[in-house]
Amino acid sequence: MNSKNIFDDSNRKVANSEKRIKKYQDSILKLNDEITDLSYFNFDSNEKSYFYFQDQGYDVDQLLKAIEDGIYAQNIFEGEQHPLVPYGSSEGNRMQINIVRILNHKWIIADFTDGQFEGELFITYDINEKGELKYNVAKSFLYPIN
C-alpha cells in the first residue's frame, strides 16, 4: 500500500509540475508578444530606416550614437532656455532631456524634466549635405502638475 501512495504522490507532483511549466510557457509567449509590440516603433526593428542610412554610406551604429549624443549635448547650454525644450524650468532648476528613442530615419521622441515639471518632445531630424545633424521640435507637451 505504501508504494501505491508514493506512486500516486509522484504522479500528482509531475502533473502539478507540468501545469506550472505550461503556465510559465504561456507567460513567456505573452511577454514575447508584448516585446514585439513595444519594439515596433524602434529604429532597431525598422529595416527600411536602417537601409536608408546604409545606402547613403553611413555606419548606422555610429550615426545612431551621433544622433543620440547630439540630442543629449543640447543639455549643456548657456542661459535660461533649453535649445530643444520649449518650456521654462522651475526656479533654480534646468530642463534636461533624459531619454531619447530614435523611431526611424526622420523621427525621435524624447522625455524631459527639471525635477518638478516634465514632458515629452516629438523631434524631426535631418542630415544636411555637410553631414550635420539638424533637429526640429515638431510637437511638445508638458504634463500637468498634480
Side-chain angles (χ1 to χ4, degrees):
M1 191 72 164
N2 192 22
S3 61
K4 176 160 177 19
N5 289 340
I6 293 172
F7 179 75
D8 289 343
D9 188 49
S10 294
N11 283 341
R12 275 192 298 277
K13 286 180 182 178
V14 168
N16 286 338
S17 294
E18 288 173 351
K19 286 178 187 176
R20 278 190 298 210
I21 289 170
K22 174 72 172 127
K23 180 180 167 185
Y24 293 140
Q25 287 172 333
D26 290 346
S27 294
I28 290 169
L29 289 173
K30 183 178 177 190
L31 288 172
N32 281 334
D33 288 344
E34 287 180 26
I35 289 168
T36 300
D37 288 346
L38 291 171
S39 66
Y40 184 79
F41 287 107
N42 188 332
F43 191 93
D44 294 335
S45 61
N46 189 328
E47 288 182 7
K48 291 177 184 173
S49 290
Y50 184 91
F51 290 123
Y52 174 86
F53 285 138
Q54 190 177 49
D55 291 346
Q56 292 183 17
Y58 290 106
D59 178 320
V60 178
D61 292 332
Q62 285 182 352
L63 179 60
L64 293 176
K65 178 117 176 71
I67 293 167
E68 280 188 13
D69 288 349
I71 295 282
Y72 290 126
Q74 305 289 322
N75 283 339
I76 303 168
F77 59 93
E78 297 292 325
E80 298 288 320
Q81 188 66 38
H82 192 287
L84 293 176
V85 178
Y87 303 101
S89 58
S90 57
E91 193 172 316
N93 295 326
R94 294 171 60 103
M95 288 292 185
Q96 300 289 299
I97 294 176
N98 299 313
I99 298 171
V100 172
R101 172 156 298 156
I102 301 171
L103 300 177
N104 57 37
H105 62 290
K106 295 290 181 186
W107 300 340
I108 298 168
I109 54 174
D111 168 81
F112 65 88
T113 188
D114 70 352
Q116 181 177 357
F117 298 104
E118 59 185 297
E120 295 178 11
L121 305 170
F122 177 69
I123 304 168
T124 61
Y125 69 99
D126 237 345
I127 305 170
N128 67 17
E129 312 80 45
K130 297 177 186 176
E132 300 167 328
L133 287 162
K134 300 292 181 187
Y135 304 100
N136 178 51
V137 177
K139 291 281 188 178
S140 62
F141 66 88
L142 194 64
Y143 286 106
I145 296 179
N146 296 330

